C-alpha cells in the first residue's frame, strides 16, 4: 500500500524546508456518523522527523488537528541528497514510516 | 392575471381550521390529496424536500394514532406540493427575466 | 409548525406574483445563439468585477475575497486532493480484467482532453460528460460502473483534469438542432428557481457572487466548473460535478434528480461552453 | 510525563501516574496511550490534551504561565473558510526556542498541537487545525525556559444556505 506520508523536503543553502501531508482520518471522537453513533477517536498522537539519527522535529497532536494533517517547518544542517526519516503513531497503536530524499 | 387565481385558492386551503378531532378517514382523505399533489410535483421534476418530509411526518403521526397532527401535516404537505407546482409552472417563462443577455 | 410554513408559502407566492409583475415583457422563444450568450455571460462578469483577472474566475470564491485567497494558497502548497490525484493516476493505469485500460476508451489516451468535456454526441443526440464517458468505458469493458458522487469517480476525473491544467476550456456546439436544444435546456435549468428557498443557480452565482452565505463566499458562475472535481473541506473529501449539483439542490430544499440526468448534463454543457477560453484548474480545493 | 514544578510535584505525578494507569486498565479508551507509550520516556502530554481550558492546558504542559509578546507572529485567517481545516502558523524571532504549541480556546479540549523544537530547527510551524466555533487561537512559544504568547480571534460558522 502506498505510504500514507507525502513529504517535500527542499534544501536551499543551510536551511531545509520540510512539508508533510499525511493520509489519516484524525477522528476527534466528537463527531456522529450518518446513523447518529459517535465515531470513536482515531488520531495521530506523535509525528517524528529524524535526520541522521537525531530528532529534528517532533509533533504531539490531539484530535483538533485536521483530517489528512499537514505540517511545515525548517531546520538547519542538512544538504541535498540526505535522508529524512518520518514516522507517526496514532492512538490505536497504528503507525507508518517513510524515508524521503532532501532535494 | 391568470397566475394569481390558484394562489389565493391555495392560501385559503392551507389556513382552513380543522373543527373537530380528526378521524382516520379524514387523515386518509387528506393524505391521498397530498400524495397526488406530491406525485404531480415530482412528475414536473420540481419536488421540494420539505414536501417529502412533511408527508412522512403525516404518515408517522397517523401510525402513532395522532390523527389531528396527521391531518394537519398532510394538509401542509399538499400546500407545499401545490406551491412547488405553481413555482414550476410560473418559472417556465419567468426564468428568462433573469437571463444575462 | 403550521403557521411558519403558511407564512413561508405566503412570502413565496407574494415573491412569485411580484416577480411576474416586474417582467411584463415575456420574450417570445428567441433563436438560440450560444456564441452571443457566451459573450454576454463573460462580459457580465468582466464588467461586474473589473479588477479580477479573467483567468482568475476559475478559482471560484478565491477570486472574490483576499482573506479566502490566502487560506487557499496556503492549502495549495500541499493540497488535500493530493491523495485523490495519486489514486486516480494509479487507477487510470490499472488495466481492467480484460486487459484494456481507460486510455483505450479516450482520444489521446485520456491525457489532456478534459477541456473538451462535456461534448455533444451526435449519434446519441445527447450531451456526454466526462463522468458518464468514464462509466461507459468501464461498462464496455465488463466492469461495474462507479458511483457518480463517490471517491473513485472523483479520483479518476481529478487525474484527467490534472493532465489538462491550464488548457483553455474548449467546448463545441455542433450545428445540430438537438445540440442547440441541449444548450438552451441547460441555460433554462441554470436560471430556473426551484426548492422551497425559491433559488435558481443564478440567484446565488450571478446575482451575488463574492457575497457570503454564512461562512462561505459565493463563487461566480463564470468558470465555476473549471476546477472540478473539487476537494471540499466541508465534505472533508472529494466531490464530482454530480455531487456538487445534488448538494446544491438539497440546500435550496429541492429534491435532487438522478446524477447524470439530462438536466444536469445540459446545465454542465451550458456552464462549460460559456466558460470557453478560461483555463482548466482542476482538481480544485474549496471551503 | 513532563516534569511539573507545581507545589507538590511528587504527589501530582503519582496521582497522574495512577490516573493514566487506571485509564489503561479500562481498555482502549480514546485517550489511552498503548502500553508501549506509557513507558518511562513517554513524551506524549496526555494530561495536557485532556484539559478543557487553555490556561489549565498550558499549566499541564509547561507548568508556568505565558506573557504576550509581539515577537511571536501568529498568522490565522479573519474568517475560517471551514472550521475543519483552518490554516494557522506561527513564527518568532525569539531565540533558544524549545517548544511551540497551539491552543483553540473553546474547543472541547483547548490544546490542539504541541511541537518540540530541537537545537538547529527554525522556530516556525504551519499546520491546519479544527475549530469548533468562533474563538481565540493562542500560540505559545517556550524560549529559554520562559513562555511567550500571541492570540487572535478566528470566526467560524457553517457554510451554505441550509438544506
Amino acid at each position: 500500500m502506498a505510504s500514507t506520508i507525502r513529504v517535500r523536503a527542499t534544501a536551499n543553502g543551510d536551511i531545509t524546508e520540510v512539508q508533510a501531508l499525511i493520509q489519516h482520518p484524525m477522528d476527534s471522537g466528537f463527531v456522529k456518523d450518518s446513523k447518529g453513533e459517535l465515531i470513536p477517536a482515531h488520531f495521530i498522537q506523535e509525528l517524528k522527523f529524524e535526520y541522521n539519527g537525531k530528532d529534528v522535529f517532533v509533533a504531539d497532536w490531539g484530535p483538533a488537528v485536521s483530517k489528512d494533517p499537514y505540517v511545515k517547518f525548517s531546520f538547519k544542517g542538512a544538504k541535498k541528497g540526505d535522508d529524512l526519516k518520518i514516522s507517526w503513531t496514532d492512538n490505536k497503536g497504528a503507525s507508518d514510516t517513510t524515508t524521503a530524499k532532501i532535494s | 392575471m391568470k397566475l394569481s387565481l390558484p394562489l389565493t385558492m391555495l392560501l385559503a386551503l392551507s389556513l382552513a381550521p380543522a373543527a373537530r378531532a380528526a378521524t382516520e378517514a379524514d387523515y386518509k382523505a387528506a393524505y391521498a390529496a397530498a400524495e397526488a399533489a406530491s406525485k404531480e410535483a415530482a412528475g414536473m421534476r420540481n419536488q421540494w424536500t420539505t414536501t417529502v418530509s412533511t408527508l412522512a411526518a403525516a404518515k408517522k403521526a397517523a401510525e402513532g394514532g395522532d390523527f389531528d397532527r396527521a391531518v394537519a401535516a398532510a394538509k401542509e404537505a399538499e400546500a407545499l406540493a401545490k406551491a412547488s407546482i405553481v413555482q414550476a409552472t410560473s418559472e417556465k417563462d419567468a426564468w428568462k427575466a433573469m437571463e444575462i443577455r | 409548525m403550521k403557521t411558519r410554513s403558511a407564512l413561508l408559502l405566503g412570502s413565496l407566492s407574494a415573491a412569485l406574483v411580484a416577480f411576474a409583475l416586474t417582467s411584463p415583457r415575456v420574450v417570445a422563444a428567441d433563436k438560440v445563439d450560444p456564441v452571443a450568450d457566451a459573450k454576454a455571460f463573460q462580459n457580465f462578469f468582466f464588467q461586474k468585477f473589473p479588477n479580477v483577472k479573467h483567468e482568475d474566475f476559475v478559482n471560484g470564491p478565491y477570486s472574490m475575497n483576499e482573506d479566502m485567497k490566502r487560506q487557499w494558497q496556503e492549502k495549495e502548497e500541499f493540497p488535500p486532493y493530493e491523495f485523490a490525484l495519486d489514486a486516480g493516476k494509479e487507477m487510470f493505469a490499472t488495466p481492467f480484467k480484460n486487459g484494456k485500460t481507460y486510455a483505450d476508451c479516450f482520444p489521446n489516451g485520456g491525457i489532456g482532453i478534459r477541456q473538451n468535456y462535456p461534448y455533444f454526441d451526435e449519434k446519441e443526440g445527447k450531451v456526454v460528460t466526462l463522468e458518464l464517458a468514464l462509466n461507459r468505458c468501464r461498462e464496455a469493458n465488463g466492469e461495474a460502473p462507479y458511483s457518480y458522487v463517490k471517491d473513485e469517480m472523483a479520483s479518476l476525473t481529478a487525474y484527467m483534469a490534472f493532465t489538462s491544467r491550464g488548457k483553455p476550456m474548449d467546448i463545441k456546439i455542433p450545428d445540430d438542432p438537438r445540440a442547440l436544444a441541449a444548450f438552451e435546456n441547460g441555460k433554462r435549468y441554470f436560471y430556473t428557481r426551484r426548492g422551497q428557498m425559491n433559488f435558481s443557480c443564478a440567484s446565488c452565482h450571478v446575482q451575488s457572487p463574492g457575497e457570503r452565505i454564512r461562512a462561505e463566499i459565493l463563487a461566480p458562475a463564470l468558470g465555476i466548473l473549471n476546477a472540478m472535481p473539487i476537494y471540499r473541506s466541508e465534505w472533508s473529501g472529494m466531490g464530482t460535478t454530480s455531487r456538487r449539483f445534488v448538494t446544491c439542490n438539497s440546500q435550496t430544499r429541492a429534491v435532487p434528480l438522478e446524477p447524470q440526468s439530462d438536466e444536469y448534463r445540459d446545465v454542465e454543457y451550458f456552464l462549460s461552453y460559456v466558460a470557453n477560453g478560461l483555463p482548466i484548474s482542476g482538481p480544485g480545493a474549496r471551503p | 510525563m513532563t516534569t511539573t514544578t507545581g507545589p507538590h510535584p511528587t504527589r501530582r505525578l503519582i496521582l497522574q501516574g495512577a490516573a493514566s494507569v487506571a485509564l489503561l486498565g479500562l481498555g482502549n479508551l480514546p485517550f489511552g496511550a498503548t502500553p508501549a507509550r506509557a513507558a518511562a520516556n513517554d513524551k506524549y502530554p496526555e494530561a495536557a490534551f485532556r484539559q478543557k481550558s487553555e490556561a489549565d492546558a498550558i499549566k499541564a504542559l509547561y507548568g508556568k504561565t505565558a506573557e504576550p509578546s509581539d515577537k511571536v507572529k501568529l498568522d490565522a485567517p479573519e474568517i475560517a473558510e471551514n472550521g475543519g481545516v483552518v490554516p494557522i502558523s506561527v513564527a518568532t524571532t525569539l531565540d533558544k526556542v524549545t517548544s511551540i504549541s497551539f491552543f483553540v480556546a473553546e474547543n472541547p479540549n483547548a490544546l490542539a498541537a504541541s511541537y518540540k523544537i530541537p537545537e538547529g530547527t527554525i522556530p516556525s510551524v504551519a499546520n491546519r487545525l479544527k475549530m469548533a466555533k468562533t474563538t481565540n487561537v493562542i500560540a505559545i512559544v517556550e524560549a529559554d525556559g520562559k513562555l511567550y504568547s500571541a492570540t487572535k480571534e478566528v470566526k467560524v460558522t457553517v457554510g451554505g444556505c441550509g438544506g
Side-chain angles (χ1 to χ4, degrees):
Chain A
M1 206 276 279
S3 163
T4 60
I5 304 170
R6 296 279 187 292
V7 187
R8 258 186 237 140
T10 44
N12 32 45
D14 185 30
I15 295 180
T16 303
E17 185 186 75
V18 180
Q19 290 180 308
L21 188 76
I22 299 162
Q23 192 163 17
H24 196 282
M26 299 302 279
D27 292 323
S28 63
F30 298 106
V31 177
K32 289 199 172 72
D33 63 16
S34 49
K35 286 187 294 304
E37 284 132 32
L38 266 181
I39 300 168
H42 180 209
F43 57 89
I44 290 173
Q45 290 187 315
E46 189 187 74
L47 169 68
K48 208 195 284 252
F49 293 79
E50 281 167 69
Y51 170 67
N52 61 40
K54 190 172 71 59
D55 286 352
V56 286
F57 190 73
V58 177
D60 291 328
W61 277 347
V65 173
S66 300
K67 175 176 188 268
D68 296 338
Y70 165 83
V71 72
K72 177 166 88 169
F73 70 97
S74 307
F75 71 101
K76 295 195 201 119
K79 54 189 178 336
K80 209 182 289 295
D82 290 353
D83 280 348
L84 180 65
K85 180 164 172 278
I86 304 100
S87 54
W88 59 258
T89 49
D90 68 20
N91 66 324
K92 288 193 172 150
S95 67
D96 192 2
T97 181
T98 190
T99 304
K101 271 266 181 290
I102 297 174
S103 65
Chain B
M1 244 298 278
K2 189 178 64 52
L3 179 72
S4 64
L5 184 61
L7 285 186
T8 39
M9 182 266 293
L10 162 83
L11 279 179
L13 176 95
S14 71
L15 298 179
R20 41 149 182 76
T23 64
E24 181 159 9
D26 300 335
Y27 159 68
K28 279 217 163 35
Y31 190 85
E35 206 173 25
S38 164
K39 280 209 170 55
E40 190 188 341
M44 301 172 83
R45 295 170 82 74
N46 189 45
Q47 178 76 294
W48 290 358
T49 50
T50 35
T51 309
V52 174
S53 53
T54 314
L55 255 179
K59 183 172 262 183
K60 199 157 174 288
E63 276 146 13
D66 181 346
F67 293 117
D68 281 339
R69 216 151 56 77
V71 167
K75 278 208 160 46
E76 190 193 331
E78 184 184 3
L80 287 168
K82 285 227 157 82
S84 65
I85 293 164
V86 167
Q87 178 188 57
T89 334
S90 74
E91 279 300 304
K92 278 209 171 42
D93 291 314
W95 69 272
K96 289 199 173 73
M98 205 191 260
E99 183 193 350
I100 298 172
R101 287 178 186 290
Chain C
M1 181 48 189
K2 196 151 139 35
T3 48
R4 193 175 59 76
S5 63
L7 195 70
L8 211 71
L9 279 182
S11 64
L12 168 72
S13 18
L16 280 180
V17 170
F19 203 85
L21 296 182
T22 57
S23 61
R25 53 160 185 75
V26 177
V27 178
D30 43 16
K31 202 181 86 45
V32 178
D33 182 353
V35 174
D37 286 350
K39 183 171 287 302
F41 200 88
Q42 297 203 354
N43 286 341
F44 172 87
F45 285 96
F46 295 158
Q47 274 142 30
K48 186 166 177 147
F49 302 99
N51 39 33
V52 173
K53 288 203 294 296
H54 293 183
E55 66 276 10
D56 222 9
F57 278 102
V58 299
N59 299 323
Y62 305 126
S63 64
M64 297 279 122
N65 176 294
E66 262 327 298
D67 182 37
M68 296 280 266
K69 184 163 196 164
R70 240 162 39 78
Q71 290 179 64
W72 172 55
Q73 278 158 341
E74 205 281 335
K75 265 196 309 188
E76 280 293 305
E77 291 211 359
F78 223 149
Y81 51 73
E82 196 80 14
F83 301 109
L85 201 46
D86 291 347
K89 183 172 189 163
E90 208 180 308
M91 286 160 70
F92 199 81
T94 314
F96 302 124
K97 288 197 275 299
N98 64 9
K100 285 226 175 70
T101 67
Y102 292 101
D104 303 318
C105 301
F106 288 94
N108 197 31
I111 305 303
I113 57 161
R114 180 262 182 272
Q115 69 280 1
N116 302 325
Y117 284 78
Y119 70 95
F120 186 80
D121 184 316
E122 303 202 47
K123 278 194 307 308
E124 189 184 336
K126 277 192 178 175
V127 172
V128 172
T129 66
L130 185 59
E131 294 167 21
L132 194 56
L134 280 164
N135 260 349
R136 285 184 175 168
C137 173
R138 289 184 60 77
E139 282 166 331
N141 288 289
E143 299 283 346
Y146 284 135
S147 143
Y148 286 111
V149 293
K150 284 269 192 334
D151 286 344
E152 296 89 352
M153 182 57 80
S155 299
L156 280 174
T157 48
Y159 173 63
M160 289 182 82
F162 187 72
T163 61
S164 287
R165 251 194 191 178
K167 292 188 173 201
M169 188 73 96
D170 178 18
I171 304 295
K172 307 234 173 353
I173 299 188
D175 191 10
D176 176 332
R178 295 168 306 170
L180 293 173
F183 175 82
E184 186 70 7
N185 187 37
K187 180 164 72 174
R188 177 183 312 112
Y189 186 89
F190 178 77
Y191 287 109
T192 298
R193 288 175 174 279
R194 57 182 56 85
Q196 190 175 6
M197 306 290 254
N198 199 27
F199 286 146
S200 68
C201 316
S203 319
C204 289
H205 298 293
V206 169
Q207 288 185 334
S208 39
E211 277 152 46
R212 278 192 189 281
I213 277 204
R214 297 194 277 198
E216 266 166 36
I217 298 275
L218 289 168
L222 179 59
I224 201 164
L225 297 179
N226 287 46
M228 283 296 172
I230 47 176
Y231 180 100
R232 286 202 71 220
S233 301
E234 184 153 337
W235 300 333
S236 65
M238 289 300 289
T240 58
T241 303
S242 300
R243 181 174 185 179
R244 185 67 261 194
F245 285 158
V246 165
T247 43
C248 257
N249 280 161
S250 41
Q251 285 209 14
T252 63
R253 295 187 184 163
V255 171
L257 306 170
E258 274 306 306
Q260 299 300 323
S261 317
D262 287 352
E263 291 92 333
Y264 287 155
R265 287 156 68 173
D266 291 347
V267 71
E268 186 173 338
Y269 193 42
F270 165 73
L271 280 173
S272 304
Y273 180 81
V274 296
N276 269 352
L278 295 182
I280 295 295
S281 61
R286 290 290 183 275
Chain D
M1 285 313 168
T2 46
T3 53
T4 53
T5 54
H8 303 292
T10 43
R11 190 168 61 78
R12 232 153 97 77
L13 268 182
I14 296 162
L15 277 181
Q16 271 168 356
S20 57
V21 166
L23 259 180
L24 289 184
L26 299 173
N28 187 2
L29 277 180
F31 290 105
T34 54
R37 296 231 46 71
N41 67 351
D42 161 24
K43 293 198 288 299
Y44 185 71
E46 196 74 55
F49 274 109
R50 270 208 306 279
Q51 300 303 323
K52 209 180 151 357
S53 77
E54 81 272 14
D56 297 345
I58 294 170
K59 199 124 196 49
L61 194 57
Y62 296 109
K64 38 189 186 265
T65 53
E67 50 169 276
S69 152
D70 53 19
K71 292 204 176 63
V72 178
K73 289 276 166 303
L74 170 60
D75 186 11
E78 283 296 315
I79 299 176
E81 66 170 24
N82 183 285
V85 183
V86 185
I88 295 172
S89 58
V90 76
T92 180
T93 48
L94 296 164
D95 54 19
K96 293 205 208 60
V97 170
T98 48
S99 166
I100 292 179
S101 298
F102 293 90
F103 301 80
V104 179
E106 287 166 70
N107 265 4
N109 304 95
L111 175 58
S114 174
Y115 300 95
K116 292 182 182 52
I117 313 289
E119 190 52 40
T121 297
I122 315 280
S124 159
V125 182
N127 56 183
R128 294 169 189 164
L129 303 178
K130 294 182 206 163
M131 293 182 62
K133 56 191 215 180
T134 300
T135 185
N136 280 345
V137 170
I138 304 105
I140 296 283
V141 171
E142 183 183 44
D144 196 13
K146 283 171 78 339
L147 292 187
Y148 302 91
S149 71
T151 303
K152 187 178 185 210
E153 189 195 55
V154 177
K155 293 190 185 58
V156 172
T157 51
V158 176
C161 55

